[in-house]
Amino acid sequence: MSEADEASAATTTDGRRSAYGTLSVVGIGPGLPHDMTQRAKQVIRTADCVIASNLYQEFLRRDGTLPPESAELDASADTGVDEAGTVLERPDGTRQTLVRSSMGRQVELAREAFERVRDGEDVAHVSGGDPNVYGKSDLLFTMAEAEDAGDVPIEIVPGVTAALGGAANLGAPLSNDFCTVSLSDKWRGWDEIEEKLRAAAISGFVVVLYNCWRDYERAVSVLREERADDVPAAIINDAGRGEAGRNVDGETQTITTLGALPDHDEKVGGMGSSILVGTHETDVWENDYRDFLVTPRGGRDVEDF
């Protein structure tokens, strides 16, 4: 083996090839950077390449986690990046590649990420919320297996998922057992989704629905078969996004009841919407400012704690 081959085959103490970078799947929380972890900020700021959708790029520029658009280098320069990416110059003079992510390019982008890591780059693949909660972590592992990329080091950087961001806006609705159910039928049929909804309702879980632009009325009707119409519920839009999201009314939360959810159809605004359905233990708690939802962990008296 030549000296060059020996160098390329050298490994670190954790078994990783020393010339490789790291692929970090980074959860940035539900919206703006104030809900990101410090680790997520650091990984994105120092990455050689960041893969993120246009919306997430907008969010990450709000506090300088990503350089501003004005830091983009001349497109005519030889940057080695295709039309879907740009090269930015950071304040310290170093360069960072920014690649636009979109739903139709996920497989292509995974392959590109693997090759960049093999070339020694640290890549931050941005996922909204938490990568493990309907995020991108499973895609990257599935692609790594399909592409024989077991040599590529992958790490997951957790983030605040929309259920937690929305619950914080509502008060304390998730203080007891809860679950999340995605209404997307891309990978599973409605029979399976309905079975999970029914089991969650019967079991007494507070239920948070994701992907509510897909037949949320159908999901609500299943829950109503197993849970009383008067239990508190809420519609949450663009949690953590303030006025920067896609909802025309900005970041909102509407407290209602399970039975009345269909009367608020105009509040379910799309990909930034989620629905929370409480249990018989969930209360609407009022103070001098606004209403909150509270699901007690145990008893309802202070002495129970």
Side-chain angles (χ1 to χ4, degrees), residues 14 51 113 138 155 215 249 282:
D14 62 1
I51 301 174
D138 65 321
E155 68 169 2
D215 289 338
D249 295 321
T282 305

PDB file of all heavy atoms in Angstrom, residues 14 51 113 138 155 215 249 282:
ATOM      1  N   ASP A  14     -12.444   6.679  16.978  1.00  0.00           N
ATOM      2  CA  ASP A  14     -13.790   6.119  16.955  1.00  0.00           C
ATOM      3  C   ASP A  14     -14.062   5.327  15.682  1.00  0.00           C
ATOM      4  O   ASP A  14     -15.202   4.969  15.369  1.00  0.00           O
ATOM      5  CB  ASP A  14     -14.860   7.218  17.120  1.00  0.00           C
ATOM      6  CG  ASP A  14     -14.837   8.238  15.993  1.00  0.00           C
ATOM      7  OD1 ASP A  14     -14.015   8.091  15.082  1.00  0.00           O
ATOM      8  OD2 ASP A  14     -15.655   9.169  16.042  1.00  0.00           O
ATOM      9  N   ILE A  51     -27.465  22.156   3.954  1.00  0.00           N
ATOM     10  CA  ILE A  51     -28.563  21.804   3.058  1.00  0.00           C
ATOM     11  C   ILE A  51     -29.861  22.171   3.766  1.00  0.00           C
ATOM     12  O   ILE A  51     -30.172  21.629   4.832  1.00  0.00           O
ATOM     13  CB  ILE A  51     -28.537  20.308   2.714  1.00  0.00           C
ATOM     14  CG1 ILE A  51     -27.215  19.942   2.037  1.00  0.00           C
ATOM     15  CG2 ILE A  51     -29.715  19.936   1.817  1.00  0.00           C
ATOM     16  CD1 ILE A  51     -27.038  18.444   1.793  1.00  0.00           C
ATOM     17  N   ALA A 113     -24.634  14.778  -0.123  1.00  0.00           N
ATOM     18  CA  ALA A 113     -24.114  14.912   1.241  1.00  0.00           C
ATOM     19  C   ALA A 113     -23.064  13.852   1.530  1.00  0.00           C
ATOM     20  O   ALA A 113     -22.007  14.143   2.114  1.00  0.00           O
ATOM     21  CB  ALA A 113     -25.264  14.822   2.244  1.00  0.00           C
ATOM     22  N   ASP A 138     -34.532   9.384   9.303  1.00  0.00           N
ATOM     23  CA  ASP A 138     -34.718   8.048   8.715  1.00  0.00           C
ATOM     24  C   ASP A 138     -34.345   8.031   7.247  1.00  0.00           C
ATOM     25  O   ASP A 138     -33.792   7.044   6.745  1.00  0.00           O
ATOM     26  CB  ASP A 138     -36.158   7.580   8.920  1.00  0.00           C
ATOM     27  CG  ASP A 138     -37.182   8.434   8.183  1.00  0.00           C
ATOM     28  OD1 ASP A 138     -37.000   9.667   8.150  1.00  0.00           O
ATOM     29  OD2 ASP A 138     -38.147   7.878   7.642  1.00  0.00           O
ATOM     30  N   GLU A 155     -24.467  11.928  12.483  1.00  0.00           N
ATOM     31  CA  GLU A 155     -24.911  12.243  13.836  1.00  0.00           C
ATOM     32  C   GLU A 155     -26.223  13.007  13.751  1.00  0.00           C
ATOM     33  O   GLU A 155     -26.488  13.719  12.782  1.00  0.00           O
ATOM     34  CB  GLU A 155     -23.874  13.082  14.595  1.00  0.00           C
ATOM     35  CG  GLU A 155     -23.680  14.481  14.064  1.00  0.00           C
ATOM     36  CD  GLU A 155     -22.855  15.344  15.007  1.00  0.00           C
ATOM     37  OE1 GLU A 155     -22.406  14.835  16.045  1.00  0.00           O
ATOM     38  OE2 GLU A 155     -22.685  16.540  14.698  1.00  0.00           O
ATOM     39  N   ASP A 215     -56.830  15.486   5.371  1.00  0.00           N
ATOM     40  CA  ASP A 215     -58.016  14.837   5.958  1.00  0.00           C
ATOM     41  C   ASP A 215     -58.102  14.963   7.475  1.00  0.00           C
ATOM     42  O   ASP A 215     -58.418  13.992   8.169  1.00  0.00           O
ATOM     43  CB  ASP A 215     -58.030  13.345   5.582  1.00  0.00           C
ATOM     44  CG  ASP A 215     -58.352  13.113   4.119  1.00  0.00           C
ATOM     45  OD1 ASP A 215     -58.950  14.009   3.512  1.00  0.00           O
ATOM     46  OD2 ASP A 215     -58.006  12.043   3.598  1.00  0.00           O
ATOM     47  N   ASP A 249     -52.265  34.863   9.333  1.00  0.00           N
ATOM     48  CA  ASP A 249     -52.473  35.532  10.622  1.00  0.00           C
ATOM     49  C   ASP A 249     -51.282  35.384  11.566  1.00  0.00           C
ATOM     50  O   ASP A 249     -51.370  35.752  12.739  1.00  0.00           O
ATOM     51  CB  ASP A 249     -53.733  34.987  11.308  1.00  0.00           C
ATOM     52  CG  ASP A 249     -54.998  35.304  10.527  1.00  0.00           C
ATOM     53  OD1 ASP A 249     -55.073  36.421   9.983  1.00  0.00           O
ATOM     54  OD2 ASP A 249     -55.888  34.446  10.462  1.00  0.00           O
ATOM     55  N   THR A 282     -57.992  17.236  30.907  1.00  0.00           N
ATOM     56  CA  THR A 282     -57.479  18.525  30.441  1.00  0.00           C
ATOM     57  C   THR A 282     -58.464  19.632  30.773  1.00  0.00           C
ATOM     58  O   THR A 282     -59.666  19.507  30.509  1.00  0.00           O
ATOM     59  CB  THR A 282     -57.225  18.486  28.920  1.00  0.00           C
ATOM     60  OG1 THR A 282     -56.363  17.390  28.614  1.00  0.00           O
ATOM     61  CG2 THR A 282     -56.591  19.788  28.447  1.00  0.00           C
TER      62      THR A 282
END
